[in-house]
Amino acid sequence: MRRMGLWRWTKRVEWGLLLLGTLAFADPHGSAGDRAPLAPTPTPSVRFAVIGDYGQAGPAAEAVARLVRGWNPDFIVTTGDNNYPRGEARTIDANIGQYYHMFIAPYRGRYGPGADRNRFFPVLGNHDWAAAGARPYLEYFDLPGNERYYDVRWGPVHLFLLDSDPHEPDGITADSRQARWLAERLRASDAPWRLVAMHHPPYSSGLHGSTPALQWPFAAWGVTAVLAGHDHVYERIERDRVLYFVNGLGGHPARYPFRAPVPGSRIRYWAQHGAMRVEANACRITFEFITVDGRRIDAVTRLHPACGGTILRASRSLRLDGERLPR
């Protein structure tokens, strides 16, 4: 009887949180200012893709786009470097719109119809900043707030999309104006899952390595996970109960080797291009990395404490070639 009572209590909490997620469902056009407005079509769960370092038209980028579109995601998040090699206006539509125009609104390119509302949320990378003032990027997309960094609430997920490049006028250190904006927006959020996306990884075992300036107090600020790119690898790192992902296998032909693993590294992989698939409701969020041939390299699920049960469930750790690592 006690087990049945616990089950009923857990289900009540889960459905209550699902209802909360539904009522809090917000328009993709969040803001870097005040509150993100409510969206017109609430649902209790969300599925989205994360692609990184994808912006060079070619077979690899096309294969990743085909994989991602096959998931029928609600939206797409990028971890930067959307437009190789120099962020120019003459290359941006071929690098982005050719594969993802159906998620972009308003879409003004030549590859087909756009979305009825924007479902494509990029962050700036160093190759996007290679163009003066990142103007082609800022003119191509219609994003909330100042467009360099902004937030989006979608059901149970609140996304905070940052500019990690040193060119950012509002700074990239933990005491910068951008960081203060993030801390304030996180304090104001009641979302079960709070995800930060940026280009340069705070922690990485890859060729470029970690970025100390971006090692902000994410755990203290209530962040669930940090999504980054820059290194053309896939890596999952766990530090202070925050999940850090390096996701840079989205289509650039070059894939990078690893250096010595950083503390907390659990999964390291670079053998094939791919993307992350994330599914969430008010009680759980699952992150997967899937290759272009459909192999699932990693999967980790975090359960919300209010729903009871295990806090973290993960696949066993893998080496870069897919061999399992000791715990």
Side-chain angles (χ1 to χ4, degrees):
M1 291 294 293
R2 283 185 298 178
R3 289 178 62 189
M4 180 62 71
L6 177 62
W7 181 86
R8 286 174 177 165
W9 177 85
T10 301
K11 297 308 287 183
R12 287 193 195 104
V13 171
E14 182 166 347
W15 280 107
L17 284 169
L18 287 173
L19 178 60
L20 178 62
T22 298
L23 293 174
F25 195 101
D27 194 296
H29 291 284
S31 73
D34 297 326
R35 190 174 177 183
L38 294 178
T41 35
T43 62
S45 63
V46 64
R47 172 191 296 163
F48 63 95
V50 186
I51 56 175
D53 300 82
Y54 68 97
Q56 182 160 314
E62 183 177 7
V64 171
R66 189 183 312 114
L67 172 75
V68 165
R69 293 195 303 264
W71 299 337
N72 192 27
D74 293 300
F75 58 90
I76 295 173
V77 173
T78 88
T79 60
D81 279 357
N82 309 273
N83 183 19
Y84 289 100
R86 298 183 54 80
E88 295 172 299
R90 66 183 180 87
T91 56
I92 195 166
D93 198 33
N95 284 337
I96 304 172
Q98 178 175 189
Y99 306 118
Y100 298 107
H101 61 87
M102 65 291 295
F103 292 92
I104 300 171
Y107 175 67
R108 308 176 187 91
R110 65 182 187 274
Y111 288 99
D116 56 353
R117 56 184 179 130
N118 191 48
R119 300 191 290 135
F120 196 86
F121 303 110
V123 299
L124 282 156
N126 55 292
H127 284 271
D128 305 305
W129 270 109
R135 293 314 310 170
Y137 170 99
L138 295 172
E139 292 171 0
Y140 189 78
F141 295 111
D142 184 9
L143 301 171
N146 64 28
E147 298 189 290
R148 303 186 314 275
Y149 59 90
Y150 57 99
D151 66 316
V152 175
R153 177 71 186 266
W154 199 302
V157 174
H158 201 154
L159 296 159
F160 302 86
L161 300 108
L162 306 183
D163 180 13
S164 62
D165 194 87
H167 288 91
E168 168 52 46
D170 290 344
I172 64 169
T173 59
D175 60 353
S176 65
R177 181 178 178 180
Q178 180 178 202
R180 292 194 300 272
W181 168 85
L182 176 64
E184 291 169 2
R185 295 296 291 156
L186 284 164
R187 280 195 298 270
S189 178
D190 63 356
W193 312 113
R194 301 160 197 177
L195 310 183
V196 170
M198 64 178 74
H199 182 58
H200 301 80
Y203 304 99
S204 173
S205 305
L207 189 63
H208 291 305
S210 303
T211 312
L214 293 164
Q215 293 170 4
W216 301 356
F218 294 112
W221 292 350
V223 171
T224 306
V226 177
L227 305 159
H230 198 41
D231 274 319
H232 298 183
V233 299
Y234 172 78
E235 184 173 19
R236 170 165 53 88
I237 300 161
E238 299 170 18
R239 297 176 70 108
D240 300 324
R241 297 174 61 81
V242 176
L243 297 170
Y244 292 87
F245 295 95
V246 183
N247 176 13
L249 292 174
H252 191 282
R255 287 173 279 119
Y256 296 169
F258 282 98
R259 299 179 184 269
V262 298
S265 180
R266 297 289 182 263
I267 302 286
R268 299 184 298 281
Y269 177 83
W270 65 266
Q272 199 172 24
H273 292 93
M276 290 179 68
R277 180 172 63 189
V278 185
E279 299 194 25
N281 60 31
C283 273
R284 69 183 63 217
I285 186 167
T286 297
F287 303 86
E288 302 172 287
F289 183 81
I290 299 172
T291 65
V292 291
D293 65 357
R295 285 193 306 134
R296 188 172 73 170
I297 299 300
D298 186 28
V300 58
T301 297
R302 177 152 286 183
L303 306 182
H304 198 280
C307 299
T310 306
I311 298 299
L312 184 68
R313 294 201 304 242
S315 61
R316 288 187 60 192
S317 301
L318 300 177
R319 208 166 61 192
L320 58 89
D321 58 2
E323 182 177 335
R324 299 197 183 280
L325 290 165
R327 289 199 180 276

